[in-house]
Amino acid sequence: MKTLPVIIDCDPGIDDAIALLSAFVAPKLKILGICTVCGNQPLTNTLRNALQITELGYRVDIPVFAGCHQPMLRAPIHGQFHGENGLGNTAFPAPKKQPESQHAVNFLTDSCEQAIADNQPLTLCVLGPLTNLATALRIKPHIAAGISRVVLMGGAYREAGNRTMTSEFNMLADPHAAHIVFSSPLHITVLPLDATHQVILTPEHVAKFVKVSGRISAQLGELMAFWDRNDVRRYGSRGGPLHDPLVIAYVLAPELFGTEKARVFIEHNSELCMGQTVADWYGKSGETPNVDIVTRVDANKVFALFYELLSRYAGK
Ligand code: RIB
Ligand code: CA
């Protein structure tokens, strides 16, 4: 099978952890490295959590890198639904695996330059704030040529925000980084709240995932159970949106999703709308559309994909 070289940049985070565990067992993905960033939790915790998840998912072979410890300009804000340690109430042993000594931004620029040299552009999956990628672009703008596509979880287009009235957490956490990335020549696909709110991990789904996931089922079940927002008014059911895992599902099976193309701008001045993702649906800006916005999801087939992936842990 022809594998796809990917780098996963994340801020674990419960949904990041579910995304990583799914990616670890996808034969199509050649995971070059995991970059961590300040987001849901301070960097010390997102780094530790990423190391712990590589141990849980039997993938200590994947190098893990510490990235930016705060947003480009704004003070850090953290996630509200991931528990004290960022992985719910699940107690993981202190990780034995050590992070790489290289900074995640330097790993990103080196990997992109190698991808250019090998003529094998990589796919960058971003599951948290865009600080690492934006910093890499500021240091070495030419690395964009080494990235075939950025697939990121972030934004709210026809949906309201989930952290403020207008803004989704990843974009709000570092709006200046998002502005840099969305103003770059990169090909970007976004999984916004408009898409992730169509895929709600209900208690019924959690029970099924626990049944099929073998030796990680106890920890996976705890992580998934903690993710139950119980915000029936917003989501129409118990459970929590599978935000970050949808990035992995899109990379593996883009045919399960429908997109609309638009130029996207990031509000990075107004406090009222800070971090808002503004789509130019009708070409008012005169600027070239640069983002594929996922607006339609075949949720049933996405769940079937995750059942197939996570059941691979039964054989571990
Ligand atoms: O708004 C959802 C995003 O914010 C997800 O990436 C979640 O992990 C949090 O970082
Ligand atoms: Ca995340």
Side-chain angles (χ1 to χ4, degrees):
M1 170 189 291
K2 183 167 169 35
T3 56
L4 185 72
V6 300
I7 290 175
I8 301 175
D9 190 299
C10 57
D11 61 335
I14 290 176
D15 58 329
D16 304 71
I18 298 168
L20 289 171
L21 291 167
S22 303
F24 290 168
V25 285
K28 177 180 173 183
L29 301 184
K30 181 184 176 193
I31 304 173
L32 303 177
I34 295 170
C35 298
T36 56
V37 72
C38 169
N40 281 318
Q41 290 272 317
L43 178 67
T44 46
N45 285 3
T46 57
L47 174 63
R48 180 204 62 216
N49 293 346
L51 293 166
Q52 289 171 330
I53 294 301
T54 58
E55 292 179 340
L56 174 66
Y58 305 92
R59 289 306 303 272
V60 293
D61 60 299
I62 301 173
V64 176
F65 300 83
C68 294
H69 68 288
Q70 67 179 41
M72 298 194 97
L73 285 178
R74 289 173 67 86
I77 58 171
H78 298 310
Q80 299 164 305
F81 305 107
H82 301 264
E84 282 300 303
N85 65 3
L87 291 177
N89 292 327
T90 311
F92 287 95
K96 293 186 178 61
K97 179 178 170 66
Q98 291 299 307
E100 303 303 309
S101 55
Q102 188 179 34
H103 192 283
V105 172
N106 294 330
F107 169 70
L108 268 176
T109 56
D110 285 358
S111 301
C112 291
E113 287 176 333
Q114 190 61 53
I116 294 167
D118 299 344
N119 192 26
Q120 284 190 334
L122 56 89
T123 297
L124 179 58
C125 300
V126 188
L127 314 181
L130 287 161
T131 317
N132 288 338
L133 176 54
T135 304
L137 287 169
R138 274 289 185 264
I139 295 173
K140 295 190 172 181
H142 65 271
I143 62 160
I147 301 173
S148 58
R149 183 167 291 277
V150 179
V151 185
L152 67 91
M153 191 278 141
Y157 293 85
R158 298 184 178 107
E159 259 281 4
N162 63 358
R163 189 56 181 261
T164 65
M165 295 179 287
T166 60
S167 303
E168 177 277 325
F169 176 81
N170 288 340
M171 300 295 102
L172 176 67
D174 196 340
H176 301 94
H179 171 63
I180 289 168
V181 171
F182 280 81
S183 306
S184 77
L186 286 167
H187 297 288
I188 301 170
T189 298
V190 296
L191 283 295
L193 299 183
D194 312 66
T196 66
H197 286 184
Q198 298 179 45
V199 190
I200 304 299
L201 183 68
T202 64
E204 294 73 23
H205 284 307
V206 174
K208 287 184 195 168
F209 278 118
V210 167
K211 279 206 183 96
V212 302
S213 53
R215 288 168 60 183
I216 70 164
S217 61
Q219 296 92 332
L220 183 68
E222 279 191 41
L223 289 167
M224 288 183 159
F226 195 93
W227 195 239
D228 181 352
R229 282 308 147 68
N230 193 16
D231 187 349
V232 178
R233 177 164 170 261
R234 176 139 201 198
Y235 303 127
S237 72
R238 286 284 304 268
L242 272 185
H243 297 306
D244 294 340
L246 244 55
V247 169
I248 304 305
Y250 181 87
V251 171
L252 293 173
E255 69 279 5
L256 303 184
F257 300 85
T259 61
E260 296 174 56
K261 215 169 183 60
R263 180 72 170 82
V264 169
F265 300 89
I266 306 293
E267 177 55 70
H268 54 285
N269 293 300
S270 148
E271 276 306 326
L272 176 67
C273 300
M274 186 61 71
Q276 184 173 11
T277 47
V278 182
D280 178 13
W281 295 116
Y282 301 105
K284 297 282 186 194
S285 69
E287 298 205 20
T288 310
N290 63 334
V291 180
D292 290 311
I293 302 168
V294 174
T295 53
R296 298 181 305 283
V297 186
D298 185 329
N300 290 332
K301 289 187 177 170
V302 164
F303 274 114
L305 172 62
F306 283 119
Y307 286 128
E308 191 278 323
L309 287 170
L310 293 169
S311 63
R312 291 166 180 263
Y313 285 102
K316 293 282 180 191

